[in-house]
Amino acid sequence: MTPDTVLLLVRFVHFWAVFGLFGTALFGLYAGSAARALIGPRLGGPVALMSVAALASGIVWLLVEAAHFGGDWAACCDADTLTAVVFETGFGKLWLWRLLLAAALLPIVTMERGPARDGLLIAVSAMLAGSLGLTGHAAMDLGWRGVAHQANHAAHLLAVGAWLGGLLPLARLLADRPAEALQTNAPQTNALRADALHRFSTVGIIAVGIILVTGIVNAGMIVGSPIPSLATSWGRVLAVKLLLVAIMLAAALANRLVLMPGARYAAIARLVLAEQILGLAVVAAASLLGTLPPDGAM
Ligand code: HEM
């Protein structure tokens, strides 16, 4: 497999893991104590898996960058090349901090459930998601334009994490499987679901607003226009990404405006699953987008 192909795969896994961690941790903050108590124990496994995936994919991403830097796979494990990448490149210095953050997640997720663990999980996962904004095409701008572009991109990725990552715990809450103390359609279960859905939907609307504005600004800073040009592969991939996002938004609107008022939780759960699958496709497109030359030069 070429370094480019491996890079695409680890970017996808890393984005998925980091967004999932941040969105899940944030959901615990706004979904309410009852929802937190119900799904907290059922999210231990996915949170641990995403923490390991964030660290492992982060390490492989660095090794692939070293392979690129050295011109072949052998360079990825060459001490001199790795040292040069880590301590002499902007990417390397940032990545070292990001790997330390990802490593810090492992003991945090094993801590006893409570405000300390939840707070650390939110803080560390937010730094992991936001710091991705300092990489990619946003890192190509210098001076104040660079600061503005990276801050915009960090906001884009944090909002993406809040929306996409929050779908995982929401899906768990809606899952039609009687949990220990709770019957599926008992009045208190539906009241809890309705409350958590409403809170998620409100956070989702804010996140989508931020995603749209920061996405348009990103495109404007990279190619000078928010309208993707189909003449370049970058433009075509962004167009596919926007089409997928539009379908996701249609599903979210159907949930908010049609299914939620009718308390049709099984149908809502199916649309949330569809949003998750579409969201993975958008992250896959974004994983490719950030590696393509925006002006179409190959
Ligand atoms: C669910 C919705 C979305 C998700 C999951 C998403 C995800 C991402 C990710 C992961 C990146 C980082 C790529 C990188 O740094 O290499 C990114 C970059 C970007 N996104 Fe989004 N995004 C979403 C919606 C949007 C929308 C609606 C727009 C446009 C209005 C947009 C425009 C951009 C642009 C221009 C970039 C920069 C690409 C580059 O650096 O080459 N995104 N997005």
Side-chain angles (χ1 to χ4, degrees):
M1 216 185 269
T2 66
D4 286 345
T5 312
V6 175
L7 183 62
L8 279 183
L9 289 175
V10 289
R11 284 168 54 83
F12 175 73
V13 173
H14 196 71
F15 286 141
W16 164 77
V18 168
F19 294 153
L21 281 165
F22 176 59
T24 301
L26 197 65
F27 185 88
L29 189 68
Y30 63 76
S33 55
R36 209 171 32 245
L38 175 69
I39 54 170
R42 294 164 61 189
L43 288 169
V47 167
L49 174 69
M50 291 186 287
S51 306
V52 172
L55 180 59
S57 60
I59 293 170
V60 177
W61 189 333
L62 178 64
L63 297 180
V64 174
E65 291 294 346
H68 272 135
F69 192 84
D72 60 26
W73 270 125
C76 83
C77 309
D78 173 67
D80 292 341
T81 309
L82 267 174
T83 310
V85 170
V86 170
F87 297 107
E88 293 165 26
T89 69
F91 171 86
K93 290 171 192 162
L94 170 72
W95 219 250
L96 187 60
W97 283 109
R98 298 193 73 255
L99 289 180
L100 291 174
L101 283 172
L105 274 178
L106 301 184
I108 291 172
V109 297
T110 60
M111 284 169 65
E112 196 185 326
R113 247 164 249 298
R117 177 185 180 273
D118 295 347
L120 283 171
L121 207 49
I122 290 174
V124 174
S125 61
M127 285 191 273
L128 272 175
S131 59
L132 281 167
L134 311 181
T135 68
H137 293 127
M140 292 177 170
D141 284 325
L142 303 171
W144 283 110
R145 185 185 162 89
V147 173
H149 193 169
Q150 289 159 26
N152 180 74
H153 198 30
H156 188 70
L157 300 173
L158 284 165
V160 161
W163 183 24
L164 282 197
L167 290 170
L168 172 72
L170 184 68
R172 281 292 160 120
L173 191 68
L174 293 168
D176 196 15
R177 188 186 58 205
E180 293 75 29
L182 235 48
Q183 292 311 310
T184 304
N185 289 316
Q188 77 269 26
T189 312
N190 286 345
L192 190 152
R193 283 174 171 158
D195 180 52
L197 267 168
H198 189 74
R199 291 170 188 237
F200 174 80
S201 181
T202 306
V203 169
I205 290 168
I206 297 168
V208 167
I210 295 172
I211 291 170
L212 292 176
V213 171
T214 54
I216 290 169
V217 170
N218 256 350
M221 295 193 88
I222 295 171
V223 293
S225 158
I227 315 294
S229 149
L230 299 182
T232 66
S233 49
W234 189 88
R236 289 190 292 273
V237 172
L238 181 58
V240 169
K241 183 182 166 194
L242 295 181
L243 183 64
L244 291 166
V245 174
I247 303 171
M248 277 184 79
L249 287 175
L253 279 175
N255 263 345
R256 172 85 188 199
L257 303 177
V258 181
L259 300 177
M260 275 170 63
R264 295 168 54 191
Y265 297 113
I268 293 172
R270 284 193 292 274
L271 269 188
V272 166
L273 179 63
E275 280 182 63
Q276 285 182 291
I277 295 167
L278 286 162
L280 287 177
V282 176
V283 172
S287 301
L288 175 60
L289 189 66
T291 66
L292 297 171
D295 59 5
M298 294 302 283

